[in-house]
Amino acid sequence: MASAFPLVGKCHLLCGGSMQLVASRGPGSTPTPSSGTSSELPLSLRLVQDQLQKWIRGNVSACGSSVFIFDEMDKLHPGIIDAIKPFLDYYEQVDGISYRRAIFIFLSNAGGDLITKTALDFWRAGRKREEIQLKDLEPVLSVGVFNNKHSGLWHSGLIDKNLIDYFIPFLPLEYKHVKMCVRAEMRARGAAVDEDVVTSVADEMTFFPKDEKIYSDKGCKTVQSRLDFH
């Protein structure tokens, strides 16, 4: 049975790369150009919204199962993303085009502090991070990004009208996860896993909060460069 509206998800991370809009058009399709950074956006908000709508409309008309990924939503000017609201709403078609099979994914650093707070509360209560459920974070993230002026979804109709299906949190990485990253990188390089090296690289990373030092400041981002020196 076909969905009555597109699948929409928002993923929250503690750190990320440059903002870009990416469309996947399926096997054998031609590449779709991505947008530039927020600093390159035209001055007219309405013009940007019009360009975004045309870009999405063109891709979905070519492939109804297009997947759109919006990276670093927190760097997007508030209000721009509301241009896609008609495509996510409960309409059979918009201007003769159905968006019911399209998938929209928003990646954001916004809400990272809320995720960390929840994870830390569980840790301080002696509970495992595996016990954290989506229901423990989804309502907090929804309200948090809606009220965050730097989330890209500040007072957005996408949240206000409940058009985002899932808010997916990425929990901060602990010491044991950093060691897993080191092992994975060593295997990727075709090297034997040396646990002394794994521990050494993990020990070089910085962790927070200041007192407990549980979570890696940079996730696993610097593992590759640090491993080069071992």
Side-chain angles (χ1 to χ4, degrees), residues 45-129:
L45 178 60
R46 184 62 238 174
L47 176 60
V48 177
Q49 291 178 322
D50 289 343
Q51 290 176 340
L52 180 57
Q53 288 180 338
K54 290 177 182 177
W55 182 71
I56 292 176
R57 188 180 299 115
N59 281 283
V60 175
S61 62
C63 176
S65 299
S66 291
V67 178
F68 298 91
I69 302 176
F70 297 76
D71 195 9
E72 284 208 351
M73 280 292 299
D74 45 300
K75 287 183 170 56
L76 193 65
H77 190 288
I80 288 180
I81 202 64
D82 275 1
I84 72 172
K85 181 177 176 292
F87 308 139
L88 309 185
D89 218 332
Y90 301 87
Y91 300 120
E92 184 71 26
Q93 293 185 341
V94 178
D95 295 330
I97 301 173
S98 173
Y99 295 85
R100 294 168 64 176
R101 292 190 294 134
I103 296 176
F104 295 81
I105 299 174
F106 307 118
L107 304 179
S108 176
N109 296 331
D113 54 335
L114 302 174
I115 296 171
T116 299
K117 182 182 182 303
T118 299
L120 195 56
D121 287 344
F122 269 70
W123 184 86
R124 287 171 174 165
R127 302 176 63 184
K128 297 179 179 179
R129 63 189 277 134

Side-chain angles (χ1 to χ4, degrees), residues 18-25 30-38 40-41 51-52 55 59 67-71:
S18 61
M19 190 283 289
Q20 55 187 320
L21 310 183
V22 183
S24 170
R25 298 174 59 182
T30 56
T32 301
S34 61
S35 80
T37 61
S38 55
E40 297 171 343
L41 293 175
Q51 290 176 340
L52 180 57
W55 182 71
N59 281 283
V67 178
F68 298 91
I69 302 176
F70 297 76
D71 195 9

Side-chain angles (χ1 to χ4, degrees), residues 129-147:
R129 63 189 277 134
E130 289 78 11
E131 296 180 40
I132 301 176
Q133 298 183 29
L134 194 57
K135 66 181 181 180
D136 296 316
L137 282 164
E138 208 168 23
V140 176
L141 288 174
S142 176
V143 174
V145 298
F146 184 78
N147 293 320

